[in-house]
Amino acid sequence: MTALELGLHFQTVAAAKGRMEAFQIPQLRQKQGSTLLVHSLEIKDNHISVLSLWWSLNADFFLVPSSYITHMESGNQTHASQFLLLGFSAKSEIQCLLFGLFLCIYLAAFTGNLLIILAICSDSQLHIPMYFFLSNLSFADICFTSTTVPKMLLNIQTQRKVITYAGCLSQTFFFFVFGCVDNLLLTVMAYDRFVAICHPLHYSVIMNPQFCGMLALGSWCISVMGSLLETLTLLKLSFCTNMEIPHFFCHLPEVLKLACSDTFINNLVVYFVTIVLGIFPLSGILFSYSQIFSSILRISSARGKYKAFSTCGSHLSVVSLFYGTGLGVYLSSAATSSSRMSLVASVMYTIVTPMLNPFIYSLRNKEVKGALSRLLGRVVTLSVRTIIGLS
């Protein structure tokens, strides 16, 4: 097709389109707010490539014969550029209250877990496997809350609910990484308690520093691979025009609901990762504690039973809180179509639980409590000396 023939063809199509609109043919009638979008036309080797040509009414109309069209992107599907995080109430007075509440919870979680890490690193008495895993858990909790809460606080403060497509993918990736690390570390800590109580004479041999390092590193590596598997499958999805997520972060089940393309592979991957990184670790924890309780019941003295149980009481409390709130998120999503219950359960799971972990370990563990007291004493002493030196 030459340039002259192309010009004549467009004139013919325009004249035909005008006559058809005059007769008000429904398929070509232009309603209010509708426009014809022509993104790009290429002429190469006497062929026309229509890279993007569509009506905003979701009705396709071609200005060239179909034999010359090599690619077209449908108007009802698109690669998302941004999402809207609806979050909580839109009332300004409630928004201010939520901002103050979540800011305090986030600061408490961040500070509490940071103090746990500093206390363990600074006190040689806590350089044992149990507290090594606890320091990793505290670091994962800091990262877990920092993945979602700062963005939520920013959205509340600026009254903007937008998150970019890249930002949503990044948030989904890191959310799963640190959530899975929490899960696997709790399993490793349950195994540590199992060895300490059921095989005390072999504890130092089994839980040697090299093996503990491999367990911690393996937890991080497996979590990264599982999260990559779930996140990369999102790249192939196309999304509809409704880009609203009824959550305060990019919750994967809610993101999948917005997809126009087939999500069978995504759901399959989610189920696979949930089984491997959720069900299996939980089964390991339950098995470890079944063996622990069986060993404790065989102890004759009440004092011995209390001492054995006190060594794993804090971990058991954290496990119950973690899995209780986590199951609450998905059960509430499955049991009701309302996103409000799922939103509240997610707050408990992603914000409240990481905040409570340091309090559970510090209040129920004399060694951690003593290390925190010594750490704070050194900080106060150093501060006083600094102030005196400056004055």
Side-chain angles (χ1 to χ4, degrees):
M1 180 179 286
T2 64
L4 179 60
E5 291 174 335
L6 177 64
L8 293 174
H9 175 72
F10 273 108
Q11 291 178 2
T12 303
V13 171
K17 178 176 179 294
R19 291 193 298 271
M20 295 170 79
E21 286 180 343
F23 285 99
Q24 295 184 345
I25 295 179
Q27 291 183 344
L28 296 176
R29 189 188 307 157
Q30 188 169 350
K31 296 183 180 180
Q32 184 179 2
S34 64
T35 55
L36 181 64
L37 304 180
V38 181
H39 283 284
S40 178
L41 290 175
E42 291 183 359
I43 303 177
K44 185 177 180 180
D45 298 332
N46 294 330
H47 285 76
I48 302 174
S49 297
V50 183
L51 300 181
S52 182
L53 177 62
W54 43 273
W55 285 93
S56 61
L57 293 175
N58 296 334
D60 298 325
F61 177 72
F62 309 116
L63 297 180
V64 293
S66 58
S67 60
Y68 295 105
I69 296 175
T70 60
H71 176 74
M72 187 199 76
E73 184 178 352
S74 177
N76 62 351
Q77 294 184 7
T78 181
H79 291 289
S81 61
Q82 61 186 22
F83 295 92
L84 291 178
L85 301 176
L86 299 183
F88 300 92
S89 174
K91 297 181 180 179
S92 58
E93 59 273 11
I94 298 181
Q95 292 282 329
C96 294
L97 178 63
L98 291 175
F99 179 84
L101 176 63
F102 290 132
L103 179 61
C104 292
I105 294 176
Y106 175 67
L107 292 177
F110 188 94
T111 305
N113 284 289
L114 182 61
L115 287 175
I116 292 289
I117 296 173
L118 294 176
I120 293 173
C121 293
S122 63
D123 198 316
S124 59
Q125 296 181 4
L126 301 183
H127 292 174
I128 59 176
M130 180 174 66
Y131 296 113
F132 169 71
F133 296 130
L134 177 59
S135 62
N136 276 266
L137 181 67
S138 295
F139 178 72
D141 281 339
I142 290 175
C143 298
F144 189 52
T145 54
S146 299
T147 300
T148 57
V149 179
K151 176 61 178 176
M152 177 186 65
L153 294 175
L154 179 64
N155 288 351
I156 294 176
Q157 181 66 22
T158 59
Q159 297 297 313
R160 295 183 73 251
K161 301 182 178 181
V162 175
I163 184 171
T164 62
Y165 178 70
C168 188
L169 287 180
S170 300
Q171 192 177 69
T172 302
F173 171 76
F174 288 110
F175 179 82
F176 275 103
V177 167
F178 300 123
C180 291
V181 167
D182 268 2
N183 191 21
L184 294 177
L185 285 175
L186 289 174
T187 307
V188 170
M189 293 171 74
Y191 175 73
D192 173 74
R193 293 298 85 203
F194 161 72
V195 176
I197 294 175
C198 299
H199 305 283
L201 299 179
H202 303 284
Y203 179 77
S204 59
V205 177
I206 297 175
M207 303 302 294
N208 58 77
Q210 293 77 16
F211 184 62
C212 292
M214 289 178 58
L215 288 175
L217 181 62
S219 299
W220 285 94
C221 292
I222 292 173
S223 299
V224 169
M225 289 188 292
S227 183
L228 272 176
L229 190 62
E230 288 196 327
T231 307
L232 291 178
T233 55
L234 291 176
L235 296 175
K236 297 184 178 181
L237 294 181
S238 297
F239 295 89
C240 301
T241 54
N242 179 24
M243 309 302 292
E244 296 179 347
I245 300 176
H247 238 283
F248 62 90
F249 68 98
C250 284
H251 193 218
L252 183 59
E254 300 294 339
V255 175
L256 293 179
K257 290 178 182 179
L258 302 179
C260 288
S261 52
D262 185 24
T263 59
F264 174 76
I265 299 298
N266 299 81
N267 291 323
L268 195 64
V269 170
V270 168
Y271 292 143
F272 173 76
V273 173
T274 300
I275 292 173
V276 174
L277 299 182
I279 304 300
F280 286 170
L282 178 59
S283 302
I285 292 175
L286 294 176
F287 173 78
S288 297
Y289 273 103
S290 66
Q291 298 299 310
I292 289 172
F293 290 146
S294 177
S295 297
I296 291 176
L297 291 177
R298 288 197 296 266
I299 299 175
S300 56
S301 65
R303 181 179 178 84
K305 291 181 180 179
Y306 174 78
K307 185 177 180 180
F309 184 76
S310 63
T311 61
C312 57
S314 299
H315 178 258
L316 187 59
S317 300
V318 171
V319 167
S320 302
L321 188 63
F322 181 83
Y323 281 101
T325 54
L327 289 174
V329 173
Y330 294 100
L331 290 178
S332 61
S333 300
T336 177
S337 58
S338 174
S339 60
R340 187 60 55 182
M341 289 298 296
S342 176
L343 195 62
V344 174
S346 295
V347 169
M348 292 293 298
Y349 180 67
T350 60
I351 304 176
V352 178
T353 299
M355 179 198 69
L356 293 179
N357 288 350
F359 292 100
I360 293 174
Y361 276 102
S362 61
L363 293 177
R364 295 181 60 89
N365 194 304
K366 293 181 179 180
E367 294 177 338
V368 175
K369 191 185 301 184
L372 286 173
S373 299
R374 290 188 291 270
L375 174 65
L376 294 176
R378 287 195 294 268
V379 171
V380 171
T381 302
L382 182 61
S383 301
V384 171
R385 289 178 180 177
T386 304
I387 295 174
I388 294 175
L390 293 176
S391 62

